[in-house]
Amino acid sequence: MRILVLGGTWFLGQAVVADALTRGWEVTTFTRGRSGLPVSGARAVHGDRESVEDLARLAGEGPWDAVVDTSASELSTRTVLAGAQALAPVSGRYVYVSTVSVYEGWPNEPLTVESPILDSLPDGSDEYGQMPAGWTGANLRYGRLKAGTERATLRAFEPERVTILRPGVILGPGEYVGRLPWWLRRAQRGGRILAPGDPAKTIQPVDVRDVAAFALEQTQADGHQLHNVTAPIGRDTMGSFLQACLDVTGSTGRLVWVPDELLLHSGVRQWSEIPLWRTHPGVWNIDAASACAAGFVSRPLAETVADTWEWLRQGNLPVQHRRWDLHGIAAEKENAILAQVSSM
C-alpha cells in the first residue's frame, strides 16, 4: 500500500504515519516542515498547500493508493479544493478528517451521520448561504469552513472515492490542544480539585491512535463512506475520567463536584477554562454506529489517560500551539469557586 499523508509530523498525522509504517506501507508526507519532526521511515516532501507550484510538484511524486488528509483544520475551502484537485489524478482514494462541528445541531442536539450539516459552498468560495438559527461567532465560522472543505473533497475526487471522518474530541499521546495534559497536571498537583457538573455525565473522547487506525483502514474501503468517530455513548463518564487522572498520577487530591449552575454564574468559560466541560445537551451525544459497523474500535478512556501520562513523564512535549494556553482555570479562580462551595 502506498499512501500520502497531508500532515504527518504531529498528533493525528504522526499517529497515522507511525501506524502505516508498522503495517509495512510506503508512506509519503507533505508538510511545510515547521512543526514537529518527520517520522523515521517516511519520505518527507516539504511544501505549502496554498502554493500551486508546490502542489504540482507534490502530484509529480505520485501515484498513491490513497491520501489521508489530517492537516486541513484551519485551511480555507479554496485551499483544500485546489489540493484535492491536484491529487485526484494521481490518487485512488481520499480520506478526509473533518469534525462533528459541521453539524447544524452540534452541540445542542443528538447527532447521527444523517443529521444536516451547515450551509457552505464546495467551490472554494469563502461566502456562505443562510445563517442557521442560534449560531454566531467562531464556532459557526469553523463549522462552516469544515463543511465547505468536506464538499470540496467530494467535488474533486467524486463521492465514491472519498471517506469523511467526523471525530469529536481526540485525546492521547502528543495532544497539542492541552485538554488531557492540563487535567493530568492538575491531578498531580493535588489538593481540592474543582470537578465540573455531574460525575455521572457521560463523555465521548476518542484516542488518537484509534482514529489513525480507522483512517488507514478506510483507505481500502469501497464507495462513499461517512462516519462519526467517537467513543460509544454512555461508556465513559466525567467522574471515571477524572478518577483515572488521579489514579495514574498517584495523586492524593480530592475531587469537589461543583454544580453547572454555579460554574456558569461564576463566569467559567466552557470547553476550555475547564477542559471537556460543556453544558449543551448534544455535545456528548454523537452516534458512531456506522464507524463501529465499519470496524472502528475505541479503547477505554482510562488507557488513553495512562498512556498520555506516561508520554508526559518521559519528558515529551507536544508541538507548540496557541490553543494550549487557552485551557485550564487559574488557581485563584478555582479556589474562589471552591470557597463558595464550602460555604454553601
Side-chain angles (χ1 to χ4, degrees):
M1 192 75 174
R2 191 167 190 257
I3 68 168
L4 168 66
V5 180
L6 301 179
T9 58
W10 50 308
F11 202 38
L12 178 57
Q14 189 176 67
V16 169
V17 173
D19 191 333
L21 291 172
T22 65
R23 299 171 189 235
W25 294 6
E26 183 180 341
V27 182
T28 302
T29 62
F30 183 65
T31 69
R32 293 176 299 178
R34 299 176 186 172
S35 301
L37 297 174
V39 177
S40 177
R43 182 171 183 271
V45 177
H46 290 160
D48 194 326
R49 290 181 66 170
E50 296 182 343
S51 166
V52 174
E53 293 78 12
D54 287 355
L55 289 173
R57 177 169 53 84
L58 174 64
E61 301 287 338
W64 295 279
D65 298 305
V67 176
V68 181
D69 187 351
T70 68
S71 68
S73 62
E74 298 179 359
L75 295 176
S76 70
T77 306
R78 183 178 293 107
T79 298
V80 173
L81 177 63
Q85 288 174 331
L87 295 172
V90 293
S91 307
R93 189 165 189 85
Y94 201 98
V95 179
Y96 183 65
V97 181
S98 184
T99 170
V100 295
S101 294
V102 301
Y103 289 111
E104 285 185 13
W106 193 87
N108 297 309
E109 303 171 4
L111 298 172
T112 71
V113 289
E114 287 81 29
S115 299
I117 68 172
L118 290 162
D119 197 10
S120 60
L121 298 174
D123 61 358
S125 171
D126 291 328
E127 300 297 324
Y128 303 107
Q130 184 175 356
M131 173 97 60
W135 277 87
T136 59
N139 284 340
L140 173 60
R141 182 184 181 281
Y142 177 65
R144 280 181 146 175
L145 172 66
K146 294 297 287 186
T149 55
E150 284 189 7
R151 292 179 170 112
T153 63
L154 293 169
R155 170 170 288 197
F157 265 76
E158 302 174 347
E160 63 269 17
R161 291 201 287 153
V162 176
T163 290
I164 294 174
L165 304 181
R166 294 173 179 160
V169 171
I170 303 177
L171 303 178
E175 185 204 330
Y176 66 90
V177 176
R179 296 181 177 112
L180 177 51
W182 185 86
W183 274 118
L184 286 165
R185 295 300 188 194
R186 179 63 192 91
Q188 181 188 39
R189 197 165 73 242
R192 298 173 76 232
I193 301 170
L194 192 164
D198 181 356
K201 184 169 184 177
T202 60
I203 58 176
Q204 294 179 271
V206 67
D207 192 288
V208 64
R209 296 162 294 184
D210 297 334
V211 179
F214 188 53
L216 290 175
E217 287 152 14
Q218 283 296 304
T219 63
Q220 301 175 83
D222 295 322
H224 179 49
Q225 301 287 322
L226 173 62
H227 304 292
N228 295 329
V229 186
T230 66
I233 296 172
R235 186 189 69 180
D236 302 304
T237 67
M238 183 63 80
S240 63
F241 166 67
L242 294 186
Q243 187 59 52
C245 290
L246 292 174
D247 292 343
V248 301
T249 58
S251 176
T252 59
R254 180 168 67 90
L255 300 173
V256 180
W257 292 93
V258 180
D260 291 335
E261 295 75 15
L262 178 54
L263 295 174
L264 294 171
H265 179 73
S266 301
V268 176
R269 189 174 64 249
Q270 298 190 54
W271 208 232
S272 55
E273 199 167 12
I274 298 183
L276 304 184
W277 169 68
R278 199 161 186 169
T279 60
H280 303 76
V283 69
W284 300 119
N285 200 338
I286 302 163
D287 179 19
S290 70
C292 294
F296 175 65
V297 177
S298 174
R299 74 190 68 199
L301 183 54
E303 183 178 331
T304 302
V305 171
D307 290 349
T308 303
W309 178 240
E310 182 59 29
W311 181 82
L312 290 169
R313 274 175 23 92
Q314 292 175 1
N316 293 299
L317 293 173
V319 170
Q320 291 186 350
H321 196 279
R322 64 181 182 278
R323 294 180 69 183
W324 184 279
D325 295 331
L326 298 175
H327 289 83
I329 189 170
E332 297 81 4
K333 187 171 183 178
E334 179 184 19
N335 291 334
I337 295 172
L338 291 174
Q340 292 183 62
V341 174
S342 298
S343 66
M344 292 171 63

